[in-house]
Amino acid sequence: MLENQKIRPAQVIGPLGEPLTLESLPPAGTTRWVVRRKAEVVAAVAGGLLTVDEACERYSLSLEEFTSWQRAVDRSGMPGLRVTRIKHYRDQYERQQRY
């Protein structure tokens, strides 16, 4: 979303194709982050429903943590957000970049 843009969409398309609104996002203060919830927050920011700063404040995330989610989605889609497979997807991405 542009910094000077004041109008926000009422809803955006979520990672599973469903409409996302501010009310349907994970609750503020969420501490258990499953893949779907991470992907919903990334989609909300990408669609302009939230700014990066608002998402970080609402969910007590560092900028680095949020950008790592964005990078994982960009590189590997939702499966890239799985904590148990981070090294696998990182190695796979690095191999793709070499060839």
Side-chain angles (χ1 to χ4, degrees):
M1 184 168 87
L2 299 174
E3 290 293 325
N4 59 358
Q5 185 176 353
K6 300 290 183 201
I7 300 172
R8 295 182 188 215
Q11 64 182 22
V12 296
I13 302 300
L16 302 175
E18 79 289 357
L20 284 178
T21 63
L22 286 174
E23 292 77 30
S24 66
L25 286 173
T30 296
T31 56
R32 187 168 187 283
W33 287 101
V34 296
V35 171
R36 180 187 49 82
R37 290 182 187 145
K38 291 178 186 179
E40 286 175 345
V41 174
V42 170
V45 171
L49 199 57
L50 291 173
T51 65
V52 173
D53 293 335
E54 290 170 340
C56 289
E57 183 178 331
R58 179 176 175 151
Y59 298 111
S60 301
L61 303 171
S62 67
L63 182 59
E64 291 79 15
E65 185 173 17
F66 179 77
T67 55
S68 73
W69 292 359
Q70 282 183 315
R71 196 170 37 254
V73 169
D74 290 344
R75 290 179 176 177
S76 306
M78 283 181 61
L81 291 169
R82 293 181 58 202
V83 174
T84 57
R85 302 287 289 181
I86 287 174
K87 183 171 178 3
H88 168 77
Y89 289 110
R90 185 178 346 149
D91 293 346
Q92 183 180 16
Y93 177 77
E94 288 172 359
R95 278 192 306 273
Q96 288 172 351
Q97 294 305 306
R98 279 188 239 144
Y99 303 107

